[in-house]
Structures are given as structure tokens and as C-alpha cells.
Amino acid sequence: MSRKLEATLADAGQRPAQWGEPGWPDGRILPVRIDLARSAGTDFEQLVLTIRLALAARVGRPLPAFDLALRRHWEVNHPGEPIEEYLRRGGLAARFGQALPERMQSALGEAASMLTLPGMVGSVVGQVTGALVRALRERRQTVRALAGCARLADLLEAEPDLDALSFYPHLLAWEIARLPERKRVTPVILLDTFEDVGDRTRRDLERLIQRVVWLMPTALWVITGRGRLQWADEGLQGQLDFTGPEAWPGLAGADTPYTRTPLPTTSGGRQVLVGDFAPEDCDDCLARRLSRNGQPLITDDLRAVITARSHGLPLYLDLSVMRLLEIRRTGRTPTPGDFDHDFPALISRTLADLTPDERHVLRSVSLLDAFDLPLATRAAGLAHEAPAMRLIERPFVRENPFGLWPYHLHQLIRSTIQGADDHTDDRWSPADWQRAAERAFTALGQQWHAGSDHDRLLLVGCLRQALRLARDHRLDLGWLTDAAWAYISDSVWEPIAPPDTGDRRDTAADALVELLSTLTRRQHEHRARTVDRLTAVLDARLLPAELEEMALYYRAKAYRDTGHSQQSRRGYQQVADGNGRLAPAARRGLAQAARLAGDFPTAHAAAQTLGREGRHQRVLGDLWWLQGEPERAATAYLAGRTEAEQHGVAGEAAHNQALRALAVAFYDPHQADDEIDLAHQLLANLDLRATTINAAIAALIRIRDAGNLALDDRIHTLRTELDNAGLTSMTPTLELAAAFHQAVLDETDAHAATLTRLREQTQNGDYAYYVDIASFMAGLPLPADHTAPQWLDGEQATRDRWRTLVTARLHHLHNNQ
């Protein structure tokens, strides 16, 4: 609808006949449509730029008050980034052209000329705006052209952040109002998908956008979205700047929201609700639909059930109201359970005017969360796409052009087709549904195999749909085995498992769902729980041998994380002996086990045989920094990150970068800033809890003022997080970070307490050398009966290197005081 409005406003020839002739002269309307959908990636800067770009293309002249403020905002917030490149990259240049940079430069030049500034100075926006503000404050005649803009000086002086940017449309409105008659236009700004601006509790972006709407009264705003615009609600005071019926009289006093509402003839009720209702509107409609003595006849609990089941479909609300009246006529009081079902009438109404082939496609795609034309056609077992093409034109098929598969059924229609009693003549038998599930499963596998090996989005999408099909319809694993291996190869761990439907665990598909679900959820639950769940999967013996290897390996990792070294080594050895796909990773685990036990020569020798698949560079990095050679470790981690990036293994790249940041933090706090920032960038779209904590430990070590009062609080917070996650194996590294700062500041008592904790945490023999390293940092002797680890080049050399790192940090602190 929003696109159609834009097209008809831009070209009267695009108007539907029933709309009649436009009531405005040609060329005076400037439609500007802005899609606020999250998938469109529109931010607030883009919104403001889009409005100005549209005006630049139509008006063809600078708007100096606004352009100067925008130019200042740009240079402060995007230093070194030409606005031309930003517009090109975001697609705005292709849509509107590159007129804006020229207009902004012209505005700057005109202001410099008005102020009689030299040419060189006139090119510097900060000097021009500063001189302009002084001239405006002093009411000089030379700037009388801009003196009428009352807030220009204030806005040019304000900090040019997003908050200030949201007030710049005031300048734009002032400039539009003073355009000469031949240039005058009325912007019609269409903000679409407004529901994606935020939710009912987070309104930061909505606040900025509302401010723009308020400050541009000369523009017509057409805001479209899934829910009602709430600005006239007084309860939002404090969340938004302008609220209540006095601020927005046209949005107040909305009547019952019909699917289609005639345009109002008065100043009230300017909200037109079209299509499915938001939950709030469902509840409002049900509350107003039946009433007695001014009170809703449908109680709160009934409205909640009906709303949840309706998914916003007005037809479902109508059917529910009729059912409620039927129940009341029998003398019985309706209960929520009376509405926890599907209406067969929905099926009959949905299928009424479909051809047999379209019905067949509809039932087939109801098994899928989303689909495209080829997937729908294969799932239906048809040789041609025409029925699917006709089906997607139906209103119950929704389209998301930015999705992996663009089409999906209305959720209520989908669940009803699958779940309600189907009394149609061509209804499906259970065998028909089973064959359809097999076709859909096969079609998903074909799409995945036909895609790129590095198309992670396709892999995850196919897995999510196919796992549910295989589990619910008890299908053989087939291509899911290879897909599961592809899923774990990147160490990204997006959620993929379908919702749990009960305790049934008697097929290979059930076991694979549980396996992959466990691997994903281990980033959010205690590792002991991971061990229990993987053990249950292995004990069930439902998986083929190659997938049992996956469960064995990750259980060994979880055992290591929880401090169960012997069980971990046994698991790694079993996987390594099997010589399967995870054998290199298991051999790396054995090398790490040797390192944890302090047998550094064995770990070093093993690293030489691991190769890229065994992450040899990361194993070397883990060895070098323990020897007091963090620079050497950082080089190894960099090589490991580079290898991972070259092979598209995002999780491994992030892990190496977090460890590189940790190593660099010991010897160069300044460089560590950049390394930690890069680690967080690589982690931004990943779900790697241990790696994220490694980056947090690196930030602790990096702290330049070792006496920072927040240090103890941050260490305590991380201790708690490690305990909650069951990452026992990482706790000694956190204590070592604390020991480093305590050694730098010569905090003897605190350091002694840390040594005590380290001895307690390493009683099983793993990480016992952390006690040695903490002692080396503080220049303390080791007990006579202490069992020393096998340092790669001897204890004294290692002691000297660690002590040198501490003294270097101490010098750094003194030099920066």
C-alpha cells in the first residue's frame, strides 16, 4: 500500500480509477518513501539524509541553514568518510543522484562569502559555522538572509550528535517555507514498516522520528505499520516528547478498528487500520465487539486466548465471537479452553476458490516455515510452477523480499490446515501428509546441495526446516548428516533446533535434534548440563557412528571446561583413535591436555603435527604466552586468525583474535585497545561465550591504571559468569590477570590471596603452573617441594620474562601518571 501511494503521488497516471482526479497541481507534491524494516537497515541518519536528498533532486538549490548543520554533523561523526561514498554504498545515490554534496558545498561557500571569509578558511566547516553563529548573535546585516531562522545559532552550537540531528528538520522546514513560489513543494513522507522502529518499551528511535514529524508541519506524513500509532496516549509521557490528545488530536479517540475504514471527514480518527491486527488491536476489537452496561462481555482471559490464537486475523476474531455467543446460548459460561482449537471454517473459506493444484501446493507448503517458488513446487511434487505462482498472490501468503525464502503462510492459516478436521472433498490422508513431508525434506536437501559451500544462511535455514520435518514425521537422516557437519565447521552456533514437543526420543532424528540443540545451548547453560545431555544422546545409541563421534568430541570438551581432565582425555583419545572427521580436533585436545598438565615439550611436539585442521597456530599461541613470550603468542594467533579467515571459519577467527588480544594486553596496552575492539567486531554475530569471556579477560589485563577501583568488581563479575557457565577451566586465567596487576602494584596481601585461590583451583594438576607464573610475576620463590612444570627453555628464563613484563608495565604506569 505504501509503495502504491508513493507511485500515485509521483505520477497521477498511476492512480486507480476509483480514486478520481488528484486535487493538487502537477509538480507540487514530492513523495518520499522510507522503509523502516529492520531488514532494510535504515537508521536515523539515513532517514534524515533521504528527506534532504529527495529535496535536493527536486528543488535544485542549497538549503543553507540545514545544509550547514548537516555538513558539520557529517564531519564530526564521519571523519574522513566522503558523504558521496556513504550515499553510493547505501544505495541513496542511485535513488536520488549525487546532488546533495554539491548543495552542501555551495551552502558552505555562500556562508563564507556572506561572512567575507578567505577562500581557504571558507572551506573549513567548523570555522564557517563558528563565524556564522557569532554573526547571528551580533545581528549583523551580512547574515540577514539567515537571521529569520530563530534556532539556527543554537543548533549550530549544539553538540552534533543524533539528538541534535533530530532537531535539524526544524531548519529544513524553515527553508522549505521560504522557497520561491516556482520552487515550492509539499513533501509527502511515507514511513513504512513503522512497527520495526522499536517495541512498546524501547522507543529511542521512535522518539527521534516523532521529533522530526513534529518539527516539519509543512510536510504530510503517512506512517504505515502493523500496529496503531500510540502518540495520542497520555501514558507515553516521558517516553516521547510529544504525547496526548492535545498534541495529536487526529490520532485520538480511535473507534473499533475495522479491516477497512473509510477516510474520516472530521479531524478525529485519522488512523486507518488495514489487514491483520496487532495483539493490542485484537484485544481492543474483542473488548468493544460485545459489551454490557459499558463493560466488555468477553473477559480478559478469553480475549488473551483468542488474540494469541488469531495471529491478528480478523476472520478468526469473528468466528471466535460467534462461538462465544453459541456457548452462551446453551447457558454455559465460556472458558479459555473453548477457544484453544482451530476453526474448520477457516479451511473451507481459505480453500473455497482455489484450484485443485493450488490446494495441493497450499497443503504442501503448510509443512514449511517459508518457501520460494522452486521449493513449493518440489514439495508439492509438481512439474510446473504455475500453481505456486498463483498461490503466492493470495492474501494469506505473506512476502518478505529480504528473507532467505520470501514467502510464508499466515501462521493461523498454516496451523489450521495442518491441525483442524478437514471436511473438504480432496482432504489428505495421513499417508498423503507423510509423502508431502518426505518431498519437502528432499527439496530442502536439494536446495542446500545446489547452493554455495559458504552460504551459511542457506545451511541454517535448511537445517531448521528439515530437522523439524525429520523429527515430526520420523524420517531418515539422509542429507542431514552432512549438513550437521557443515553446521559445526564454522563454530558459529546459531539456534537451529525446533521447539521441543515432549520426551519422545526414539528416532535418529530425535537424537540429532537433541545433539545440535545441546551444542547450541551450551553457550547459554552450565557445561555440566551439556555433559548430561550429550551422555543421554550417546546412551540412546540412535545416531550413526559418525554423528556419535561428534557427541563424544563435544562431551570431551565439556568435561575439560568443567575440570574433569581424565574423562576429557579419554573422550579425545576415543575420537582420535576412530580417525574420523574430528580426529585432528581430538588430537589438538590431547595436546591441550598435555599443556594443562604442564608437559609443554609434549604439547609443542604435538603442535607440529596438527596442521591447519588441528588449529596448530592456536596451540602454539597457547604455549608461547605461558612461557612469558606474549609477542610470539600474538604472532601465532594472528597466523591462526588469518588461516581461519581464508577458509571462512568465523568462530575460529574470533577465538584466535580474542586470544591475540589477551596476549597483546600483557606487553602493549595501547595496541590491545585495537585488538580487543577487533575481537568484539568478529564476535558481533557469533554466539561464543568462552571466547567472549577471553576478550573480557584481555580487557582486564589491558587496563592501564592497574589500581582502577572497578577492577575488583569486574573480576568478581567474571568469576560469577564463569561459575554460572560451568567454565571452570577458565577461572585460573582470570586469577592470573588479577595476579598480574597485584604484582605491578606490589599488593602483597592481595597477591597472596590470589595464589591461595590458584592452588585450590589447580589441585587436580591442571593449570598448576599458573601458581608458578603468578610467583614469577611478583618475584617470589617457589616452595622447595613444588613440582615444577616442564618449561620449554627452563624455569629461570621463564621467570625472568614474566618479571620483565611486570616491570615494563610498572614503568608504563609511571610514565603515564
Side-chain angles (χ1 to χ4, degrees):
M1 185 186 72
S2 181
R3 291 190 181 96
K4 185 64 175 177
L5 288 173
E6 179 188 34
T8 56
L9 291 170
D11 180 5
Q14 298 288 328
R15 291 170 64 85
Q18 65 269 28
W19 286 15
E21 293 299 319
W24 55 80
D26 291 339
R28 285 299 180 93
I29 299 296
L30 174 61
V32 187
R33 181 177 176 275
I34 302 172
D35 191 354
L36 299 173
R38 294 187 183 96
S39 53
T42 304
D43 58 23
F44 184 69
E45 275 190 340
Q46 275 189 308
L47 183 146
V48 175
L49 280 172
T50 299
I51 298 172
R52 179 59 185 98
L53 280 163
L55 286 165
R58 174 68 68 86
V59 174
R61 57 178 282 172
L63 304 176
F66 178 87
D67 290 348
L68 286 172
L70 179 61
R71 178 70 179 266
R72 177 168 175 261
H73 170 88
W74 191 263
E75 293 199 359
V76 171
N77 292 279
H78 298 268
E81 181 182 14
I83 193 171
E84 295 89 340
E85 173 62 21
Y86 179 88
L87 298 177
R88 183 196 63 77
R89 189 171 64 250
L92 294 176
R95 181 178 173 188
F96 297 104
Q98 285 281 15
L100 179 57
E102 180 182 345
R103 302 286 180 264
M104 292 170 65
Q105 189 61 39
S106 297
L108 189 64
E110 289 179 15
S113 175
M114 187 187 306
L115 297 164
T116 64
L117 296 175
M120 295 270 306
V121 173
S123 65
V124 181
V125 66
Q127 295 182 355
V128 172
T129 55
L132 178 59
V133 168
R134 289 192 296 273
L136 289 169
R137 298 292 191 205
E138 295 167 5
R139 304 180 183 277
R140 297 182 198 167
Q141 282 295 108
T142 55
V143 294
R144 63 182 178 276
L146 295 174
C149 188
R151 300 301 179 194
L152 177 57
D154 295 336
L155 290 174
L156 289 177
E157 283 185 322
E159 181 69 24
D161 53 15
L162 279 183
D163 197 62
L165 181 63
S166 68
F167 286 95
Y168 292 178
H170 164 74
L171 308 177
L172 197 57
W174 181 79
E175 291 282 11
I176 293 171
R178 73 188 193 111
L179 285 172
E181 183 63 25
R182 59 187 177 83
K183 293 283 188 180
R184 187 157 297 175
V185 296
T186 298
V188 178
I189 304 170
L190 301 105
L191 301 182
D192 198 16
T193 330
F194 199 78
E195 70 275 9
D196 276 5
V197 165
D199 56 30
R200 300 298 170 108
T201 57
R202 292 187 294 271
R203 298 180 181 269
D204 296 336
L205 179 56
E206 185 178 3
R207 185 186 194 113
L208 298 176
I209 293 176
Q210 191 209 51
R211 195 175 289 160
V212 174
V213 175
W214 183 269
L215 293 172
M216 292 189 68
T218 53
L220 173 63
W221 296 84
V222 180
I223 300 176
T224 51
R226 289 271 298 168
R228 182 170 55 245
L229 202 60
Q230 296 179 302
W231 295 352
D233 295 350
E234 292 180 334
L236 294 182
Q237 186 174 2
Q239 296 185 60
L240 300 173
D241 289 349
F242 312 100
T243 58
E246 293 185 5
W248 306 98
L251 301 180
D255 293 326
T256 302
Y258 297 99
T259 301
R260 300 187 187 279
T261 305
L263 290 175
T265 56
T266 65
S267 61
R270 295 176 61 186
Q271 300 208 53
V272 182
L273 304 186
V274 181
D276 292 348
F277 295 164
E280 295 84 353
D281 294 327
C282 289
D283 185 80
D284 186 62
C285 178
L286 292 169
R288 295 169 184 265
R289 182 68 175 273
L290 300 173
S291 62
R292 173 179 292 169
N293 299 325
Q295 296 299 314
L297 193 62
I298 307 177
T299 58
D300 292 349
D301 54 345
L302 295 181
R303 296 203 305 272
V305 172
I306 297 171
T307 295
R309 295 283 292 175
S310 74
H311 292 277
L313 193 68
L315 174 57
Y316 188 92
L317 303 181
D318 289 340
L319 293 171
S320 297
V321 170
M322 288 189 291
R323 178 169 176 77
L324 180 135
L325 292 175
E326 289 173 2
I327 294 173
R328 287 181 62 87
R329 276 196 292 269
T330 66
R332 185 167 62 86
T333 300
T335 66
D338 291 321
F339 299 90
D340 189 17
H341 75 289
D342 299 304
F343 288 104
L346 277 174
I347 299 179
S348 60
R349 295 195 190 189
T350 301
L351 302 182
D353 58 347
L354 299 183
T355 67
D357 278 351
E358 290 169 2
R359 295 185 181 198
H360 185 75
V361 175
L362 175 61
R363 289 189 172 99
S364 299
V365 298
S366 72
L367 294 168
L368 298 168
D369 300 324
F371 58 92
D372 56 15
L373 287 175
L375 182 58
T377 303
R378 291 194 190 103
L382 300 179
H384 51 284
E385 293 184 349
M389 292 174 64
R390 294 194 300 270
L391 184 71
I392 63 174
E393 296 174 357
R394 301 287 176 169
F396 53 77
V397 177
R398 306 306 165 86
E399 182 178 4
N400 174 14
F402 303 101
L404 175 61
W405 295 287
Y407 307 111
H408 63 276
L409 292 183
H410 187 285
Q411 185 58 39
L412 179 61
I413 300 296
R414 180 186 176 200
S415 65
T416 303
I417 287 174
Q418 291 186 50
D421 293 333
D422 188 345
H423 299 289
T424 57
D425 292 340
D426 58 349
R427 62 185 178 274
W428 278 8
S429 69
D432 292 328
W433 284 105
Q434 183 68 20
R435 284 190 290 270
E438 292 169 357
R439 290 194 304 267
F441 179 83
T442 301
L444 287 166
Q446 290 170 342
Q447 281 209 354
W448 174 58
H449 283 300
S452 167
D453 290 341
H454 300 294
D455 192 339
R456 183 82 183 177
L457 185 64
L458 178 63
L459 166 67
V460 171
C462 289
L463 267 175
R464 283 175 176 159
Q465 299 218 62
L467 282 170
R468 184 180 52 78
L469 285 169
R471 183 198 64 187
D472 294 350
H473 297 273
R474 308 175 76 83
L475 306 179
D476 293 335
L477 294 183
W479 61 271
L480 278 178
T481 298
D482 289 336
W485 284 106
Y487 170 74
I488 71 167
S489 65
D490 287 347
S491 300
V492 178
W493 312 118
E494 308 95 327
I496 61 169
D500 195 0
T501 57
D503 296 329
R504 179 175 64 83
R505 300 281 190 276
D506 57 2
T507 69
D510 292 325
L512 181 56
V513 167
E514 178 65 10
L515 170 59
L516 296 181
S517 173
T518 299
L519 298 187
T520 301
R521 290 170 60 178
R522 69 197 175 101
Q523 304 298 332
H524 304 279
E525 63 185 16
H526 199 282
R527 287 296 200 271
R529 174 64 177 147
T530 303
V531 170
D532 293 341
R533 294 180 66 177
L534 290 177
T535 299
V537 169
L538 289 166
D539 290 345
R541 299 191 176 278
L542 295 171
L543 291 173
E546 56 183 325
L547 289 175
E548 282 203 351
E549 173 194 354
M550 187 188 297
L552 277 170
Y553 172 75
Y554 283 100
R555 186 176 67 170
K557 288 191 69 172
Y559 271 134
R560 183 203 65 194
D561 291 338
T562 54
H564 294 81
S565 303
Q566 294 302 319
Q567 295 94 321
S568 176
R569 289 187 184 91
R570 282 197 297 270
Y572 283 140
Q573 191 64 60
Q574 188 175 350
V575 175
D577 291 344
N579 206 30
R581 300 196 206 195
L582 285 173
R587 286 190 278 272
R588 179 181 75 246
L590 292 171
Q592 290 172 328
R595 170 176 60 81
L596 299 187
D599 188 357
F600 299 130
T602 297
H604 184 263
Q608 314 308 313
T609 66
L610 293 176
R612 182 190 65 81
E613 290 187 350
R615 314 289 193 247
H616 60 127
Q617 294 290 359
R618 173 148 61 94
V619 175
L620 287 172
D622 291 344
L623 280 170
W624 293 131
W625 79 264
L626 293 173
Q627 314 303 309
E629 297 186 78
E631 292 186 63
R632 199 171 179 183
T635 301
Y637 290 134
L638 177 59
R641 189 195 79 201
T642 303
E643 282 185 350
E645 289 172 337
Q646 289 171 346
H647 291 83
V649 187
E652 179 63 17
H655 195 63
N656 273 281
Q657 180 57 35
L659 290 170
R660 174 174 166 80
L662 187 148
V664 170
F666 276 115
Y667 67 86
D668 191 338
H670 291 289
Q671 182 187 346
D673 286 341
D674 295 333
E675 302 295 345
I676 293 168
D677 288 344
L678 178 55
H680 286 302
Q681 290 177 30
L682 295 180
L683 283 164
N685 295 315
L686 306 180
D687 195 1
L688 299 172
R689 192 170 190 178
T691 305
T692 302
I693 294 176
N694 271 331
I697 294 175
L700 286 178
I701 299 170
R702 178 272 318 268
I703 292 176
R704 297 185 184 89
D705 51 340
N708 191 311
L709 295 177
L711 181 64
D712 289 341
D713 290 339
R714 293 169 67 178
I715 290 174
H716 177 74
T717 299
L718 282 175
R719 281 196 194 110
T720 303
E721 185 172 354
L722 289 170
D723 288 343
N724 292 339
L727 293 169
T728 308
S729 62
M730 296 183 66
T731 305
T733 306
L734 175 62
E735 298 296 345
L736 197 66
F740 178 71
H741 287 295
Q742 291 158 0
V744 170
L745 294 177
D746 196 22
E747 294 178 342
T748 307
D749 293 342
H751 191 274
T754 300
L755 278 174
T756 300
R757 285 193 298 273
L758 279 171
R759 290 190 185 97
E760 293 172 352
Q761 294 162 4
T762 60
Q763 285 179 348
N764 66 349
D766 287 348
Y767 297 103
Y769 48 81
Y770 274 23
V771 176
D772 301 58
I773 294 174
S775 300
F776 296 165
M777 288 175 174
L780 299 175
L782 298 172
D785 59 347
H786 178 71
T787 302
Q790 301 176 52
W791 302 107
L792 291 178
D793 58 353
E795 178 181 313
Q796 189 58 48
T798 307
R799 173 186 286 273
D800 292 344
R801 285 193 293 267
W802 276 112
R803 186 59 185 166
T804 298
L805 288 171
V806 170
T807 55
R809 178 62 63 88
L810 184 59
H811 290 315
H812 174 83
L813 289 177
H814 289 160
N815 292 336
N816 286 275
Q817 286 180 349

